[in-house]
Amino acid sequence: MKKIVIIDDDQDFVSVAGKVLSHIGKFDVVVHTDSSDALDLIRREKPDLIIVDIMMPKVDGFTILRNVRTAADLQHIKVIVCSAKIFDVDRKNALKLGANEYISKITAASELVDK
């Protein structure tokens, strides 16, 4: 079973996204709302996929993405940035930093299932 780590400070989002992905039955989903220890969590859980928000109060998603892409032991992990920020510049920045996908929280449930 593939493992997904969702990192987002929005408890409602991680709850819904976690339930949607777990319900499919193909994924072991770990949700985490504290971005300050995200890299420790990622190293401990060894996920196949990370879903991360951009706007978080302690460590933002761009920083987490940058750290994942520069860490030799983590850079192979696929990363989807899922954010309420819908501006093209944010999508371009995420992809430039190495995100595999950038999706809007507005359509996240259906897009996550398709990815």
Side-chain angles (χ1 to χ4, degrees), residues 6 10 15-16 36 42 45 48-49 61 77 81 91 100 107 109:
I6 303 173
D10 181 341
S15 178
V16 170
S36 65
I42 292 166
E45 294 295 334
D48 300 287
L49 172 66
I77 301 171
V81 173
R91 184 186 67 76
N100 296 89
T107 57

Side-chain angles (χ1 to χ4, degrees), residues 4 14 17:
I4 299 173
V14 295

Side-chain angles (χ1 to χ4, degrees), residues 5-6 10-11 15 17 22 37 49 56-57 60 73 95 100 109 114:
V5 168
I6 303 173
D10 181 341
Q11 184 64 49
S15 178
S22 293
D37 62 349
L49 172 66
M56 293 184 285
D60 68 45
D73 61 328
L95 296 174
N100 296 89
D114 291 341

Side-chain angles (χ1 to χ4, degrees), residues 7-76:
I7 304 166
D8 194 319
D9 63 317
D10 181 341
Q11 184 64 49
D12 291 334
F13 176 77
V14 295
S15 178
V16 170
K19 286 178 185 173
V20 167
L21 292 170
S22 293
H23 183 72
I24 295 170
K26 298 178 184 177
F27 308 108
D28 177 19
V29 180
V30 176
V31 298
H32 198 64
T33 57
D34 184 359
S35 61
S36 65
D37 62 349
L39 287 180
D40 291 336
L41 172 79
I42 292 166
R43 282 193 169 97
R44 186 173 58 250
E45 294 295 334
K46 298 178 175 83
D48 300 287
L49 172 66
I50 301 164
I51 299 171
V52 65
D53 185 22
I54 292 175
M55 298 181 296
M56 293 184 285
K58 295 178 182 175
V59 178
D60 68 45
F62 286 139
T63 301
I64 293 169
L65 175 59
R66 189 177 301 108
N67 289 334
V68 167
R69 288 298 175 241
T70 58
D73 61 328
L74 303 177
Q75 58 189 226
H76 68 282

